[in-house]
């Protein structure tokens, strides 16, 4: 067993408490990673608040990065000493995985939110011998060490700053992939991105990489809109001050945008994004509200105008291909995601979350 220090949520909307735990031994397909950095994502807070049915107590964290310390007997992809980013879990054998879309794995919810290994219920244990769920997104990276599977570790260039790379495994991958992999905008096209958090700003940077001529960022936070301009937005709309966001977007474009990405998770904003599309426009739904939430959308507007609404999980990314590509963009100066980052010591996780919820930190990263 491996001794670890972990941040554990024990009750709904509770604080993250530091615990000394033990990780059980590796299974043949697993990898032990010493965590060097872990991003904090809104999905971690969604799990903490029980908006998704996640078992507690649990070690959360699903944007980990670090150094491989040990591998199981069947692991071929990485070896001890490799630098890796941890990403979402998938089974690899269901129909959607075999079709090359593991982000829609038929066991996705259980593997990523169920807090258990794929083939057993073994968990971390505390000093009183009680189990703590430790498989959040098959990693639970709010800990000094994490056990992941061969499928959800991505080997990365050792020249990249390993403590910074964790968010590429989820939030930043999601926003950039929604544009690059899902919408696939053509050069010279127009796009509106609703929400200027880490996911939305990643979408802004991706739209610039794709050569979009008009990139409109929409948010209520003036500072984030200013950063959006720095990262590639050609226009910004402050939806807290603008009376009619849709009309403003149509003023800036020819009858609306070709593409949109909705990253806020607010149903009314999704309705705006649909209305802001021009004929045959396409919107990617990325923001996730609580289960059961619906949006008020005119079906005839979709039908008559030929508009499309697509759901996007994890940026429609094949992580082993896409994450190294994002790192190359970063190293070439095309994808400066470090401008989104505020670093905190691991012990200061609750302070980092408070700053995130107050809008003072776009993408907090815990360093170890």
């Amino acid at each position: 067993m491996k001794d670890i220090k972990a941040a554990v949520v024990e009750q709904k909307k509770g604080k993250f408490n530091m615990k000394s735990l033990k990780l059980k031994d590796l299974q043949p397909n697993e990898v032990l990673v010493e965590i060097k950095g872990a991003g904090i994502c809104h999905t971690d807070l969604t799990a903490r608040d029980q908006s998704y049915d996640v078992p507690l107590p649990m070690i959360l964290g699903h944007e980990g990065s670090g150094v491989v310390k040990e591998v199981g007997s069947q692991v071929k992809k990485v070896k001890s000493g490799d630098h890796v980013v941890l990403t979402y879990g998938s089974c690899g054998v269901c129909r959607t995985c075999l079709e090359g879309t593991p982000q829609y794995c038929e066991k996705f919810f259980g593997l990523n939110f169920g807090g258990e290994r794929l083939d057993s219920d073994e968990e971390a244990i505390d000093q009183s011998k009680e189990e703590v769920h430790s498989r959040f997104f098959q990693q639970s990276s709010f800990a000094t060490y994490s056990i992941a599977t061969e499928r959800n570790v991505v080997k990365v260039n050792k020249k990249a700053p390993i403590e910074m790379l964790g968010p590429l495994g989820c939030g930043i991958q999601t926003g950039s992939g929604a544009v690059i992999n899902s919408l696939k905008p053509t050069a010279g096209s127009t796009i509106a991105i609703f929400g200027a958090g880490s996911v939305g700003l990643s979408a802004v940077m991706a739209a610039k990489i794709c050569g979009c001529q008009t990139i409109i960022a929409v948010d209520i936070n003036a500072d984030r809109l200013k950063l959006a301009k720095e990262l590639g937005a050609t226009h910004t709309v402050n939806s807290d001050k603008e009376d009619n966001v849709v009309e403003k977007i149509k003023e800036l474009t020819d009858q609306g945008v070709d593409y949109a990405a909705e990253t806020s998770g607010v149903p009314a904003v999704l309705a705006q994004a649909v209305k802001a599309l021009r004929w045959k426009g396409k919107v990617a739904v990325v923001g996730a509200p609580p289960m059961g939430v619906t949006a008020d959308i005119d079906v005839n507007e979709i039908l008559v105008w030929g508009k499309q609404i697509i759901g996007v999980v994890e940026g429609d990314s094949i992580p082993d291909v896409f994450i190294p590509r994002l790192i190359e963009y970063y190293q070439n100066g095309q994808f400066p995601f470090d401008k989104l980052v505020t670093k905190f010591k691991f012990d200061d996780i609750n302070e980092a979350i408070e700053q995130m919820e107050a809008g003072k930190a776009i993408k907090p990263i815990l360093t170890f």
Side-chain angles (χ1 to χ4, degrees):
M1 290 190 177
K2 182 70 178 179
D3 292 323
I4 68 168
K5 177 181 175 181
V8 179
V9 172
E10 298 174 275
Q11 60 186 6
K12 181 178 180 178
K13 297 186 178 181
K15 293 285 188 181
F16 286 75
N17 298 316
M18 291 297 172
K19 300 279 187 178
S20 295
L21 306 175
K22 292 181 181 292
L23 287 179
K24 296 184 179 180
D25 295 335
L26 292 181
Q27 292 185 346
N29 69 328
E30 292 180 336
V31 179
L32 178 67
V33 178
E34 181 180 7
I35 300 298
K36 296 297 183 181
I40 301 175
C41 176
H42 281 288
T43 303
D44 295 307
L45 308 187
T46 296
R48 175 201 64 181
D49 297 343
Q50 297 287 281
S51 295
Y52 286 176
D53 186 15
V54 175
L56 300 177
M58 182 182 280
I59 308 168
L60 297 174
H62 65 288
E63 293 184 341
S65 59
V67 180
V68 174
K69 290 299 178 183
E70 185 181 347
V71 300
S73 60
Q74 296 177 1
V75 174
K76 305 296 183 184
K77 187 164 71 174
V78 295
K79 63 183 183 304
S80 180
D82 284 343
H83 288 193
V84 292
V85 168
L86 309 184
T87 188
Y88 62 89
S90 58
C91 74
V93 296
C94 71
R95 177 176 172 177
T96 50
C97 281
L98 294 175
E99 289 175 340
T101 53
Q103 63 274 21
Y104 303 105
C105 173
E106 293 170 16
K107 296 183 179 179
F108 188 93
F109 199 90
L111 285 175
N112 292 285
F113 294 95
E116 296 181 354
R117 277 172 158 155
L118 178 61
D119 297 318
S120 80
D121 59 359
E122 292 185 346
E123 302 297 340
I125 56 175
D126 65 17
Q127 293 175 339
S128 65
K129 302 295 179 70
E130 293 190 7
E131 291 192 343
V132 175
H133 294 278
S134 57
R135 302 290 155 165
F136 190 62
F137 278 69
Q138 294 299 297
Q139 59 177 280
S140 285
S141 52
F142 289 164
T144 51
Y145 289 84
S146 171
I147 292 178
T149 70
E150 183 174 27
R151 284 189 61 79
N152 74 306
V153 297
V154 177
K155 185 178 177 179
V156 296
N157 190 332
K158 288 186 178 181
K159 293 182 180 180
I162 188 61
E163 75 282 358
M164 293 272 290
L165 302 182
L168 298 180
C170 187
I172 290 175
Q173 167 178 257
T174 295
S176 57
V179 175
I180 295 172
N181 301 326
S182 309
L183 293 174
K184 299 179 181 178
T186 55
S189 59
T190 58
I191 187 169
I193 292 148
F194 292 79
S198 61
V199 174
L201 292 172
S202 298
V204 167
M205 290 185 283
K208 183 178 180 181
I209 289 171
C210 290
C212 292
Q213 181 175 357
T214 302
I215 303 170
I216 304 169
V218 183
D219 202 278
I220 62 173
N221 186 306
D223 290 336
R224 293 189 178 192
L225 291 174
K226 180 180 178 181
L227 180 56
K229 289 292 290 279
E230 294 178 21
L231 296 175
T234 58
H235 304 82
T236 61
V237 177
N238 190 322
S239 53
D240 193 38
K241 297 180 179 179
E242 184 65 44
D243 291 335
N244 192 318
V245 171
V246 172
E247 288 304 316
K248 182 63 177 179
I249 290 173
K250 289 185 175 182
E251 285 177 16
L252 296 170
T253 58
D254 179 18
Q255 299 182 359
V257 287
D258 300 302
Y259 306 95
E262 199 300 289
T263 73
S264 73
V266 178
V269 176
L270 173 57
Q272 287 181 332
V274 172
K275 289 181 179 296
L277 294 173
R278 70 182 308 276
W279 290 78
K280 299 199 71 176
K282 182 186 293 187
V283 57
V285 183
V286 180
M291 292 291 189
V293 171
T294 60
D296 184 10
I297 295 171
D298 185 340
V299 174
N300 280 296
E301 185 172 359
I302 305 298
L303 175 65
V304 176
W305 285 52
K307 296 179 180 182
Q308 298 179 57
I309 303 173
I310 59 171
V312 178
V313 174
E314 296 289 352
D316 281 337
S317 163
I318 304 298
D320 288 297
V321 176
F322 193 58
I323 290 173
R325 192 198 311 182
L326 291 179
I327 292 172
E328 288 183 9
Y329 285 144
Y330 168 70
Q331 291 175 321
N332 292 336
Q334 298 171 275
F335 192 73
F337 74 91
D338 55 321
K339 292 185 178 181
L340 313 181
V341 168
T342 305
K343 293 182 181 180
F344 296 85
K345 293 294 185 183
F346 180 40
D347 286 340
D348 297 327
I349 182 171
N350 288 305
E351 178 189 345
I353 290 169
E354 287 175 6
Q355 292 205 25
M356 180 181 179
E357 292 182 314
K360 297 178 180 179
I362 296 174
K363 174 52 68 175
I365 289 183
L366 305 172
T367 59
F368 293 72

PDB file of all heavy atoms in Angstrom, residues 188-202:
ATOM      1  N   GLY A 188     -12.155  32.272 -41.586  1.00  0.00           N
ATOM      2  CA  GLY A 188     -12.967  33.397 -42.020  1.00  0.00           C
ATOM      3  C   GLY A 188     -14.386  33.382 -41.495  1.00  0.00           C
ATOM      4  O   GLY A 188     -15.157  34.291 -41.775  1.00  0.00           O
ATOM      5  N   SER A 189     -14.748  32.368 -40.723  1.00  0.00           N
ATOM      6  CA  SER A 189     -16.113  32.255 -40.205  1.00  0.00           C
ATOM      7  C   SER A 189     -16.282  33.070 -38.933  1.00  0.00           C
ATOM      8  O   SER A 189     -15.336  33.673 -38.411  1.00  0.00           O
ATOM      9  CB  SER A 189     -16.458  30.783 -39.938  1.00  0.00           C
ATOM     10  OG  SER A 189     -15.563  30.222 -38.996  1.00  0.00           O
ATOM     11  N   THR A 190     -17.518  33.092 -38.417  1.00  0.00           N
ATOM     12  CA  THR A 190     -17.832  33.867 -37.216  1.00  0.00           C
ATOM     13  C   THR A 190     -18.286  32.921 -36.102  1.00  0.00           C
ATOM     14  O   THR A 190     -18.944  31.911 -36.345  1.00  0.00           O
ATOM     15  CB  THR A 190     -18.956  34.878 -37.510  1.00  0.00           C
ATOM     16  OG1 THR A 190     -20.114  34.174 -37.970  1.00  0.00           O
ATOM     17  CG2 THR A 190     -18.525  35.875 -38.569  1.00  0.00           C
ATOM     18  N   ILE A 191     -17.929  33.291 -34.870  1.00  0.00           N
ATOM     19  CA  ILE A 191     -18.269  32.439 -33.726  1.00  0.00           C
ATOM     20  C   ILE A 191     -18.530  33.308 -32.504  1.00  0.00           C
ATOM     21  O   ILE A 191     -17.885  34.349 -32.312  1.00  0.00           O
ATOM     22  CB  ILE A 191     -17.131  31.430 -33.435  1.00  0.00           C
ATOM     23  CG1 ILE A 191     -17.549  30.421 -32.347  1.00  0.00           C
ATOM     24  CG2 ILE A 191     -15.841  32.134 -33.065  1.00  0.00           C
ATOM     25  CD1 ILE A 191     -16.586  29.253 -32.204  1.00  0.00           C
ATOM     26  N   ALA A 192     -19.492  32.893 -31.691  1.00  0.00           N
ATOM     27  CA  ALA A 192     -19.764  33.538 -30.402  1.00  0.00           C
ATOM     28  C   ALA A 192     -19.547  32.506 -29.307  1.00  0.00           C
ATOM     29  O   ALA A 192     -20.009  31.364 -29.422  1.00  0.00           O
ATOM     30  CB  ALA A 192     -21.188  34.077 -30.351  1.00  0.00           C
ATOM     31  N   ILE A 193     -18.860  32.912 -28.266  1.00  0.00           N
ATOM     32  CA  ILE A 193     -18.577  32.019 -27.148  1.00  0.00           C
ATOM     33  C   ILE A 193     -19.224  32.612 -25.910  1.00  0.00           C
ATOM     34  O   ILE A 193     -18.898  33.732 -25.485  1.00  0.00           O
ATOM     35  CB  ILE A 193     -17.068  31.831 -26.970  1.00  0.00           C
ATOM     36  CG1 ILE A 193     -16.521  31.053 -28.169  1.00  0.00           C
ATOM     37  CG2 ILE A 193     -16.766  31.079 -25.684  1.00  0.00           C
ATOM     38  CD1 ILE A 193     -15.141  31.386 -28.571  1.00  0.00           C
ATOM     39  N   PHE A 194     -20.181  31.882 -25.358  1.00  0.00           N
ATOM     40  CA  PHE A 194     -20.954  32.338 -24.216  1.00  0.00           C
ATOM     41  C   PHE A 194     -20.325  31.777 -22.941  1.00  0.00           C
ATOM     42  O   PHE A 194     -20.308  30.576 -22.717  1.00  0.00           O
ATOM     43  CB  PHE A 194     -22.407  31.887 -24.348  1.00  0.00           C
ATOM     44  CG  PHE A 194     -23.152  32.564 -25.472  1.00  0.00           C
ATOM     45  CD1 PHE A 194     -22.985  32.152 -26.785  1.00  0.00           C
ATOM     46  CD2 PHE A 194     -24.009  33.624 -25.201  1.00  0.00           C
ATOM     47  CE1 PHE A 194     -23.672  32.778 -27.817  1.00  0.00           C
ATOM     48  CE2 PHE A 194     -24.697  34.254 -26.219  1.00  0.00           C
ATOM     49  CZ  PHE A 194     -24.526  33.831 -27.540  1.00  0.00           C
ATOM     50  N   GLY A 195     -19.804  32.693 -22.118  1.00  0.00           N
ATOM     51  CA  GLY A 195     -19.092  32.312 -20.905  1.00  0.00           C
ATOM     52  C   GLY A 195     -17.602  32.459 -21.108  1.00  0.00           C
ATOM     53  O   GLY A 195     -17.035  31.890 -22.050  1.00  0.00           O
ATOM     54  N   ALA A 196     -16.961  33.231 -20.221  1.00  0.00           N
ATOM     55  CA  ALA A 196     -15.524  33.487 -20.348  1.00  0.00           C
ATOM     56  C   ALA A 196     -14.764  32.967 -19.137  1.00  0.00           C
ATOM     57  O   ALA A 196     -13.863  33.624 -18.621  1.00  0.00           O
ATOM     58  CB  ALA A 196     -15.253  34.975 -20.564  1.00  0.00           C
ATOM     59  N   GLY A 197     -15.157  31.789 -18.672  1.00  0.00           N
ATOM     60  CA  GLY A 197     -14.353  31.082 -17.688  1.00  0.00           C
ATOM     61  C   GLY A 197     -13.242  30.327 -18.396  1.00  0.00           C
ATOM     62  O   GLY A 197     -12.917  30.602 -19.561  1.00  0.00           O
ATOM     63  N   SER A 198     -12.648  29.354 -17.733  1.00  0.00           N
ATOM     64  CA  SER A 198     -11.523  28.647 -18.338  1.00  0.00           C
ATOM     65  C   SER A 198     -11.942  27.877 -19.591  1.00  0.00           C
ATOM     66  O   SER A 198     -11.188  27.817 -20.571  1.00  0.00           O
ATOM     67  CB  SER A 198     -10.886  27.698 -17.317  1.00  0.00           C
ATOM     68  OG  SER A 198     -11.806  26.723 -16.880  1.00  0.00           O
ATOM     69  N   VAL A 199     -13.138  27.309 -19.583  1.00  0.00           N
ATOM     70  CA  VAL A 199     -13.607  26.570 -20.755  1.00  0.00           C
ATOM     71  C   VAL A 199     -13.871  27.531 -21.919  1.00  0.00           C
ATOM     72  O   VAL A 199     -13.422  27.310 -23.044  1.00  0.00           O
ATOM     73  CB  VAL A 199     -14.867  25.763 -20.411  1.00  0.00           C
ATOM     74  CG1 VAL A 199     -15.440  25.101 -21.662  1.00  0.00           C
ATOM     75  CG2 VAL A 199     -14.560  24.702 -19.357  1.00  0.00           C
ATOM     76  N   GLY A 200     -14.588  28.620 -21.648  1.00  0.00           N
ATOM     77  CA  GLY A 200     -14.894  29.575 -22.694  1.00  0.00           C
ATOM     78  C   GLY A 200     -13.666  30.263 -23.254  1.00  0.00           C
ATOM     79  O   GLY A 200     -13.541  30.456 -24.478  1.00  0.00           O
ATOM     80  N   LEU A 201     -12.736  30.637 -22.399  1.00  0.00           N
ATOM     81  CA  LEU A 201     -11.514  31.296 -22.872  1.00  0.00           C
ATOM     82  C   LEU A 201     -10.643  30.331 -23.664  1.00  0.00           C
ATOM     83  O   LEU A 201      -9.944  30.740 -24.604  1.00  0.00           O
ATOM     84  CB  LEU A 201     -10.746  31.895 -21.692  1.00  0.00           C
ATOM     85  CG  LEU A 201     -11.441  33.084 -21.016  1.00  0.00           C
ATOM     86  CD1 LEU A 201     -10.718  33.488 -19.737  1.00  0.00           C
ATOM     87  CD2 LEU A 201     -11.530  34.285 -21.968  1.00  0.00           C
ATOM     88  N   SER A 202     -10.681  29.050 -23.309  1.00  0.00           N
ATOM     89  CA  SER A 202      -9.980  28.049 -24.116  1.00  0.00           C
ATOM     90  C   SER A 202     -10.611  27.961 -25.502  1.00  0.00           C
ATOM     91  O   SER A 202      -9.915  27.791 -26.512  1.00  0.00           O
ATOM     92  CB  SER A 202     -10.031  26.689 -23.423  1.00  0.00           C
ATOM     93  OG  SER A 202      -9.376  26.735 -22.171  1.00  0.00           O
TER      94      SER A 202
END
